[in-house]
C-alpha cells in the first residue's frame, strides 16, 4: 500500500516520503497489481518544471509515487513533519531517495522478472543492463539506448515495450524529456511500473561517477556534479533557484482557484 502524499511547504508540491525498504515493498505491491504506475522524484529542477510546464505538472499530479530526491525539498518536508508529529527516528534525510539509492536494491522486489532499461548511449545502456542482470538474478533484463531521441525512436521504443511486456521500466532520458514522453505515451504503453531515473543509467553502468553517499546525506551532491559537469549543472545551481523563487512568488499572488490547475 502506498502512503498518502504529504505537503512540502514553501515549494507548493506533494511527495511520497519513503525510505528504501518502504519503496521496495511498495514497488512489489504495484508489480503484483499488474497495473500502470509511475515512480518520480522531486528536486528543485523538477519543482521548477512542475510550476512552469503543464505536461510535467500533469504527470506529477497523477504519479503513483513521488519521492523526495533533493535535499531542499527533503529538509523542508522534515521541518513540517517535525511540527506536526513525533520526531523522525532516522532524521528527514533518510527519506531522500535518488535513483541510485534504490536501483541497487531491486533484487529485493518480490515477483520482479522482467525489466526494461530505456535511455543513455549504447555503451552505457548495455553496461547498465548487464549490471542489472547481476542485481536481479534470474530476471530478464533488456534495454534500448535513448541517444538521439526523436519521433521515430519513440515509436520504436513504444513498439518494443509492447512486445517485451516488462514489469518495471527504468526511463533515463533526462528531465524534462522523460516526463514529456511519459505524459504523452503512458496510456499507450503496456502495464508496468515506469520509473523516471534521469542520468542514473550511466551511473548504473559505471560510466558516470556517483557522488560519495556522505555528500548526499549533507545535501552537497550538487557540488560534486558542478565540479564534474560544470556546463550541464551551473544553470541549475546558480540560475534555476531564482527562477523557482519567482514562480513561487507569482503563485502567491494568483487567485486561489488557479493554484490547483
Amino acid at each position: 500500500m502506498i502512503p498518502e502524499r504529504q505537503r512540502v511547504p514553501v515549494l507548493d508540491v506533494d511527495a511520497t516520503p519513503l525510505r528504501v525498504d518502504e519503496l521496495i515493498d511498495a514497488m512489489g505491491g504495484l508489480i503484483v497489481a499488474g497495473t500502470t504506475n509511475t515512480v518520480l522524484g522531486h528536486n528543485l529542477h523538477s519543482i521548477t518544471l512542475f510550476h512552469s510546464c503543464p505536461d510535467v505538472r500533469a504527470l506529477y499530479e497523477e504519479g503513483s509515487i513521488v519521492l523526495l530526491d533533493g535535499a531542499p525539498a527533503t529538509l523542508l518536508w522534515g521541518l513540517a513533519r517535525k511540527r506536526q508529529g513525533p520526531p523522525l527516528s532516522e532524521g528527514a534525510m533518510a527519506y531522500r531517495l535518488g535513483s541510485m539509492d534504490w536501483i541497487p536494491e531491486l533484487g529485493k522486489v518480490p515477483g520482479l522478472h522482467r525489466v526494461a532499461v530505456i535511455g543513455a548511449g549504447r555503451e552505457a545502456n548495455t553496461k547498465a543492463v548487464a549490471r542489472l542482470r547481476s542485481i536481479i538474478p534470474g530476471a530478464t533484463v533488456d534495454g534500448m539506448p535513448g541517444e538521439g531521441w526523436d519521433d521515430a525512436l519513440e515509436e520504436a521504443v513504444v513498439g518494443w515495450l509492447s512486445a517485451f511486456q516488462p514489469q518495471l521500466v527504468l526511463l533515463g532520458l533526462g528531465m524534462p524529456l522523460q516526463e514529456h514522453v511519459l505524459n504523452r505515451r503512458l496510456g499507450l504503453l503496456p502495464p508496468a511500473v515506469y520509473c523516471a531515473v534521469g542520468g542514473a543509467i550511466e551511473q548504473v553502468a559505471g560510466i558516470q561517477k556517483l557522488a560519495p553517499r556522505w555528500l548526499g546525506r549533507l545535501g552537497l551532491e550538487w557540488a560534486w556534479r558542478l565540479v564534474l559537469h560544470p556546463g550541464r549543472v551551473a544553470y541549475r545551481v546558480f540560475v534555476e533557484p531564482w527562477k523557482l523563487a519567482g514562480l513561487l512568488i507569482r503563485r502567491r499572488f494568483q487567485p486561489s482557484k488557479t493554484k490547483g490547475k
Side-chain angles (χ1 to χ4, degrees), residues 17 30 47 57 69 89 109 168 176 185-186 207 219 223 226 236 256 261:
L30 295 177
I47 294 169
R57 185 183 189 91
D69 183 26
S89 58
V109 177
L168 180 75
R185 292 291 191 170
L186 201 57
I207 290 176
L226 183 62
R236 293 189 186 183
S256 58
K261 294 184 180 180

Side-chain angles (χ1 to χ4, degrees), residues 141-170:
V141 184
D142 209 345
M144 283 190 70
E147 200 169 36
W149 192 272
D150 58 14
D151 291 345
L153 180 54
E154 186 170 313
E155 289 290 347
V157 167
V158 170
W160 180 76
L161 287 172
S162 297
F164 184 43
Q165 293 289 310
Q167 298 165 295
L168 180 75
V169 179
L170 302 181

Side-chain angles (χ1 to χ4, degrees), residues 165-244:
Q165 293 289 310
Q167 298 165 295
L168 180 75
V169 179
L170 302 181
L171 183 65
L173 301 177
M175 189 178 289
L177 176 57
Q178 62 197 14
E179 286 75 20
H180 289 317
V181 170
L182 282 176
N183 188 61
R184 64 176 170 256
R185 292 291 191 170
L186 201 57
L188 303 174
L189 294 171
V193 179
Y194 292 87
C195 307
V197 299
I201 293 174
E202 291 185 344
Q203 294 171 347
V204 173
I207 290 176
Q208 185 182 118
K209 290 184 178 180
L210 186 64
R213 303 322 292 154
W214 63 268
L215 274 180
R217 289 192 293 272
L218 293 174
L220 294 174
E221 274 185 346
W222 62 268
W224 174 269
R225 293 172 181 166
L226 183 62
V227 170
L228 291 183
H229 308 286
R232 186 190 309 174
V233 178
Y235 176 83
R236 293 189 186 183
V237 172
F238 297 117
V239 178
E240 197 164 58
W242 296 102
K243 178 180 179 180
L244 175 58

